[in-house]
Amino acid sequence: MKKIVLSIMAAALLASGSFAQTVKLPAPQKTGGKSINETLTVRESRNEFSNKMLSKQDLSNLLYAAIGVNRENGKLTSPTASNKQEIRIFVFTAEGVSEYLNNENGLRPVAKGDHRGIVAGRQDWVKAAPVVLVLVADGDKFGRVDERSKTMMAVDAGIVSENINLFCAGNGLATRPRASMDAEAISTLLGLTENQYPIMNNPVGYQK
């Protein structure tokens, strides 16, 4: 029943246009942070976070590192199979959920309210992260959803997650890559099709 209600609410909000306007992020900073060798030396998974919300600049830098457009030909910071660019990122915070639109460097609001709990599952520490990034593999965008395609989309999601991990390590942020989450509830909330599915997530915050 709860999932049905969430689905109805999400559909109503999208239909009303309440979440149509994209929120522009600051241009990502492309310098700074530790060198790649220093970053590899200090990289570790962390599950404790400061309760301070990420600044818009740091969020922009983080999302750019994950799947930002870094060339005039439209290719990204993270490679994908046949350049399908099928990995989508949804940003969960205490205020709501938005999708990162890399071509616009902006956030498209999807749902209001704090839904980090459905990403956390039974690991309550996830809800302490001010930002939780959910990586969705879009089989509709990939073009097919056979077993080989699912494998390649999983690989691509892992690459995006590693970009997030390395950016955090090099810029004083804490994160931990995860696959645990209530994928069905997330799919309902986001209005995903059967060929679009949550595959990984990274809770992110400043180091405690």
Side-chain angles (χ1 to χ4, degrees), residues 58-80:
D58 285 339
L59 182 59
S60 176
N61 296 348
L62 170 66
L63 293 169
Y64 172 78
I67 58 168
V69 177
N70 69 349
R71 281 158 284 178
E72 292 184 359
N73 61 8
K75 294 187 177 181
L76 309 182
T77 54
S78 53
T80 55

Side-chain angles (χ1 to χ4, degrees), residues 79-102:
T80 55
S82 301
N83 193 36
K84 295 293 187 180
Q85 301 187 13
E86 81 285 3
I87 304 302
R88 300 161 63 185
I89 295 183
F90 291 85
V91 181
F92 285 62
T93 70
E95 287 72 38
V97 182
S98 300
E99 180 176 7
Y100 176 56
L101 304 181
N102 53 8

